Amino acid sequence: MTSDLPIYLDHHSTTPVDPRVYQVMKPWLTSRFGNAASISHVYGEIAREAIEAARRQVAELVNCQPDEVIFTSGATEANNLALKGVLKAAPSGSHLIVNRGEHKAVLDPAESLVRDGYAATIIEIDSNGQVDPNKIRDAITSKTKLVSVMYASNEVGTINPIAEIAEICHERNIYFHSDATQAVGLLPVDLQKQTIDLLSISAHKNYGPQGIGALIVRRDRGRIPLTPLIDGGGHERHLRSGTLPVAMIVGFGEACRIASEEKESDSLRLSTLRDHLWTGLSSSLDGLHRNGHPTECLPNNLNISVAGVDGDALMASLTKIAVSSGSACTSSDPAPSHVLRAMGISESLTKASLRFGLGRSTTEAQIDFSIEHVTDVVQTLRKL
Ligand SMILES: Cc1ncc(COP(=O)(O)O)c(C=O)c1O
């Protein structure tokens, strides 16, 4: 990497692999190349042991049992497995509840299920981007099998009232899934205390490699009937067939180990930097709107809308920082963010929104520089 690249402030989109993660992955890409399913010899056995060690590290981060961890290619696949897996194992016509604030990796599988004859209710979010548990309660029908509510928003950082929603689901004997992709490395996700039946996570949002993640399938309320998306050799308790990518899983495990140890200190440092960013920007510019929940927010997220500037011009002029407008994960779709629109934010403010995602390598000097750069750009654009 050259130092003239923009400052990276888009950690909701992806995070760099931590050098400690890279170190532990290296041998699994070269000399230790065994297939973990071929255990008739030592190559396979070694690979299998490494995978089981990584599984324990992932489980430890969210406090579940190792055999509840089902490795997938990432959170998109984990969400698909949760939604389609539960619904397709249930009678046709069964019902699912999602909400407008979800990532497309939940909304699109829900739509696909509707095309396949299942029913879905999409509940609205409030102006802070949060799901109201009462709306979930009201949407439940006798056919509801699954409720899916993300732990924290990838766009505005809003943390949902997960405990309350989980309780409503359990009272009604409905499975509860949460996409915790943005939350796990920063918030105290604890599945012994939180009654979440299915939890999606992804390594690359948490300083691990891209292309690996997991669906946690709890067993404490009995076996959850799940139809696999991929059939084959019966890997991952028959829920996700396919040769396991050992290097990536080992890296995912190490990333989880580091997060278990460092998430509290990371969160504290990041929220201080984030607050500094907001204070700096809002004291040097007027017409800024902060999007998201004022207190229930991820420590590394700042989402703002800038009044009086054109969104495209703003993004084109911010050449010294790498930030996102809306969700980079759906950047193949240039439409304004569906989440900001669902929060009731006008189209022009939605288009002129910036999402800052701070991360482990973000420094105070970078934040100071970013405040100056954004201020200069906005002041220049407003004079045109
Ligand atoms: C909340 C959320 N869910 C799912 C995903 C998709 O994750 P993955 O890239 O692991 O498929 C992302 C990011 O892209 C996300 O932020």
Side-chain angles (χ1 to χ4, degrees):
M1 285 235 195
T2 57
S3 56
D4 52 5
L5 282 171
I7 293 170
Y8 188 73
L9 291 174
D10 199 16
H11 290 83
H12 297 300
S13 164
T14 197
T15 57
V17 170
D18 189 296
R20 292 167 287 183
V21 169
Y22 176 57
Q23 280 309 321
V24 303
M25 285 177 71
K26 274 200 303 197
W28 300 99
L29 292 163
T30 51
S31 53
R32 297 189 211 163
F33 52 81
N35 181 334
S38 303
I39 49 167
S40 55
H41 50 68
V42 70
Y43 291 89
E45 266 170 32
I46 292 174
R48 188 179 177 140
E49 273 166 27
I51 282 176
E52 294 317 312
R55 201 186 296 282
R56 288 193 289 277
Q57 290 171 315
V58 175
E60 205 167 303
L61 178 60
V62 296
N63 203 10
C64 70
Q65 299 303 320
D67 63 358
E68 293 174 326
V69 176
I70 304 298
F71 289 117
T72 62
S73 62
T76 300
E77 187 187 330
N79 289 342
N80 271 269
L81 178 56
L83 269 65
K84 294 177 183 166
V86 168
L87 271 284
K88 292 193 172 183
S92 69
S94 290
H95 177 237
L96 157 81
I97 301 173
V98 296
N99 67 85
R100 204 67 74 186
E102 292 295 319
H103 192 276
K104 293 285 183 190
V106 163
L107 291 174
D108 287 355
E111 264 182 36
S112 151
L113 283 164
V114 171
R115 285 195 296 275
D116 285 349
Y118 297 90
T121 302
I122 306 180
I123 62 168
E124 297 302 329
I125 50 176
D126 68 16
S127 58
N128 292 325
Q130 209 172 40
V131 174
D132 176 354
N134 289 318
K135 288 200 172 153
I136 301 268
R137 189 181 277 112
D138 294 345
I140 290 174
T141 73
S142 59
K143 294 196 166 166
T144 308
K145 290 285 175 253
L146 183 74
V147 169
S148 179
V149 176
M150 71 199 319
Y151 209 108
S153 166
N154 52 300
E155 294 207 28
V156 292
T158 297
I159 301 167
N160 277 311
I162 293 298
E164 262 178 275
I165 297 169
E167 201 178 312
I168 292 168
C169 293
H170 286 195
E171 276 167 10
R172 303 290 297 269
N173 221 11
I174 292 164
Y175 292 122
F176 178 46
H177 165 250
S178 186
D179 177 352
T181 303
Q182 299 287 341
V184 282
L186 294 165
L187 303 180
V189 178
D190 183 336
L191 295 177
Q192 299 303 324
K193 295 194 183 134
Q194 297 162 302
T195 43
I196 303 170
D197 300 297
L198 298 143
L199 188 92
S200 299
I201 55 181
S202 179
H204 77 100
K205 310 287 181 176
N206 201 14
Y207 310 94
Q210 296 173 347
I212 187 74
L215 180 67
I216 312 294
V217 183
R218 298 301 317 281
R219 275 188 285 102
D220 57 345
R221 289 207 295 155
R223 195 184 72 81
I224 301 175
L226 272 182
T227 300
L229 301 174
I230 303 172
D231 297 305
H235 308 71
E236 298 300 273
R237 300 188 7 239
H238 292 272
L239 289 175
R240 205 286 188 175
S241 287
T243 299
L244 291 168
V246 188
M248 307 229 281
I249 289 176
V250 166
F252 184 20
E254 176 69 359
C256 289
R257 183 197 68 73
I258 295 168
S260 296
E261 280 178 15
E262 299 182 2
K263 65 175 186 288
E264 264 176 56
S265 53
D266 267 357
S267 293
L268 196 62
R269 199 184 73 82
L270 290 172
S271 64
T272 306
L273 283 178
R274 187 267 317 275
D275 293 347
H276 177 54
L277 176 61
W278 171 238
T279 309
L281 289 173
S282 55
S283 56
S284 51
L285 286 168
D286 53 21
L288 294 190
H289 303 256
R290 187 165 173 181
N291 304 317
H293 198 285
T295 55
E296 294 302 301
C297 185
L298 285 172
N300 62 338
N301 176 281
L302 178 68
N303 190 309
I304 59 170
S305 291
V306 186
V309 296
D310 173 70
D312 293 335
L314 179 63
M315 279 311 282
S317 309
L318 287 172
T319 52
K320 296 178 182 167
I321 55 173
V323 292
S324 160
S325 64
S327 165
C329 310
T330 56
S331 59
S332 54
D333 173 9
S337 153
H338 70 278
V339 177
L340 295 178
R341 299 291 287 133
M343 288 163 62
I345 295 167
S346 71
E347 190 164 338
S348 61
L349 283 181
T350 293
K351 282 187 177 157
S353 74
L354 299 174
R355 180 188 68 174
F356 298 87
L358 282 53
R360 213 173 261 165
S361 60
T362 309
T363 63
E364 192 172 337
Q366 290 181 334
I367 295 297
D368 287 336
F369 179 88
S370 305
I371 294 168
E372 262 181 47
H373 181 47
V374 175
T375 304
D376 283 352
V377 163
V378 171
Q379 283 173 344
T380 306
L381 290 174
R382 280 182 178 159
K383 280 191 208 133
L384 293 178

